[in-house]
Amino acid sequence: MEESKSLFKQGLKEGFPIGLGYLPLAFTLGVNAATGGFKFLNSITMSILSFTGVGQMNAMSLMLENATYFSIFIALLVINLRNIVLSLSLSQRLDENVSLWKRLIIAMGNTDEIFALTIRREGKIPADYFLGVMSFPYFAWGVGAIVGNLATTLVPRDICIAMSMALYAMLVASVVPAVKKSKPILFVAILSGVLSFIMQGIRPISNALSNLMGKSASSWILVAGSIFSAAVAACIWPVKNSEEGN
């Protein structure tokens, strides 16, 4: 018992900076949800159940466009595919005696930043340590969303609308570091943007797609463009396995 408490406290201490970094992001998402017309309870529930900044941002954007549930599901699946890889990697490092309910909680809190911090630990990763690391970031995520929603009743609407523009800055900030390090990701980002412009910016094509898919056309264009661009990049830059590399 004492060892579990010690591991939890250690994780809580190490995860504190991550939580501080999540506060402004969650606050901005809360502001955007309120200015977008989401009810307070719906917005907070979304933040509690969706512990992902980019995923929640895109989900809200698609909802505001009246996208279908299926298109939202596909879009978020594509966006969060990396989490499957992170979870598979983390599962190999957890203690074998970790219970199922703890594994489910750990899977919920396995964000990019928390994974990067915990995976550096030598040897097996104790469940209590991981739960400690994710506790404050998850708490900060919920608090930031609540404060962001409430801020819209205290701060002038024009300022709230301006703050909601920070979402686009966050999206760019999440893409730019990866683009700098990877030509395939740069290719996917550019090709997706070009395809989106062609299908939505050129009126005849845009009108034809709108007539075909209705109000959800823009969301399907986003999903289709992303998948097609990723597929093309995979063909141009295939990932070589270890045997071929040797």
Side-chain angles (χ1 to χ4, degrees):
M1 181 63 71
E2 290 299 324
E3 183 181 2
S4 296
K5 289 183 178 180
S6 177
L7 288 170
F8 184 85
K9 289 180 180 179
Q10 180 187 358
L12 192 64
K13 180 180 179 180
E14 294 183 8
F16 187 79
I18 297 177
L20 293 180
Y22 282 177
L23 270 173
L25 173 58
F27 176 85
T28 306
L29 287 169
V31 170
N32 188 73
T35 56
F38 287 89
K39 294 181 179 180
F40 177 79
L41 184 59
N42 292 343
S43 172
I44 301 306
T45 302
M46 186 189 305
S47 294
I48 293 175
L49 298 179
S50 179
F51 193 26
T52 163
V54 177
Q56 188 174 336
M57 176 185 66
N58 280 274
M60 288 193 297
S61 176
L62 292 172
M63 288 178 187
L64 292 174
E65 294 178 1
N66 296 318
T68 62
Y69 290 127
F70 184 69
S71 63
I72 295 174
F73 169 77
I74 294 299
L76 295 185
L77 179 64
V78 173
I79 291 170
N80 293 304
L81 278 177
R82 72 188 187 285
N83 291 98
I84 297 177
V85 179
L86 298 184
S87 295
L88 287 173
S89 177
L90 180 64
S91 67
Q92 304 303 311
R93 296 286 308 280
L94 291 175
D95 285 332
E96 291 80 3
N97 59 350
V98 177
S99 61
L100 176 61
W101 71 270
K102 283 188 176 182
R103 287 180 180 273
L104 293 175
I105 296 175
I106 289 173
M108 174 72 177
N110 190 27
T111 65
D112 296 334
E113 296 79 11
I114 293 175
F115 173 83
L117 173 63
T118 56
I119 204 69
R120 291 182 297 179
R121 185 182 178 92
E122 294 184 2
K124 291 291 185 179
I125 301 174
D128 295 308
Y129 167 76
F130 191 99
L131 293 174
V133 171
M134 67 170 283
S135 292
F136 184 70
Y138 186 71
F139 173 77
W141 187 259
V143 170
I146 293 173
V147 174
N149 271 270
L150 297 178
T152 58
T153 62
L154 304 174
V155 180
R157 180 174 175 78
D158 291 341
I159 296 179
C160 290
I161 294 175
M163 291 178 65
S164 68
M165 295 298 292
L167 283 172
Y168 299 100
M170 290 189 301
L171 179 60
V172 172
S174 66
V175 173
V176 169
V179 165
K180 287 182 176 180
K181 297 178 181 179
S182 172
K183 288 183 179 180
I185 295 178
L186 174 62
F187 173 83
V188 170
I190 294 176
L191 182 58
S192 297
V194 171
L195 291 175
S196 179
F197 173 78
I198 291 175
M199 290 187 284
Q200 296 188 73
I202 300 178
R203 188 172 296 276
I205 298 178
S206 176
N207 290 340
L209 292 174
S210 296
N211 293 332
L212 179 64
M213 294 180 284
K215 294 181 178 180
S216 62
S218 59
S219 61
W220 280 113
I221 288 172
L222 173 64
V223 173
S226 300
I227 295 177
F228 177 80
S229 301
V232 173
C235 293
I236 299 176
W237 293 282
V239 177
K240 297 182 179 180
N241 58 38
S242 57
E243 293 180 1
E244 291 178 347
N246 295 330

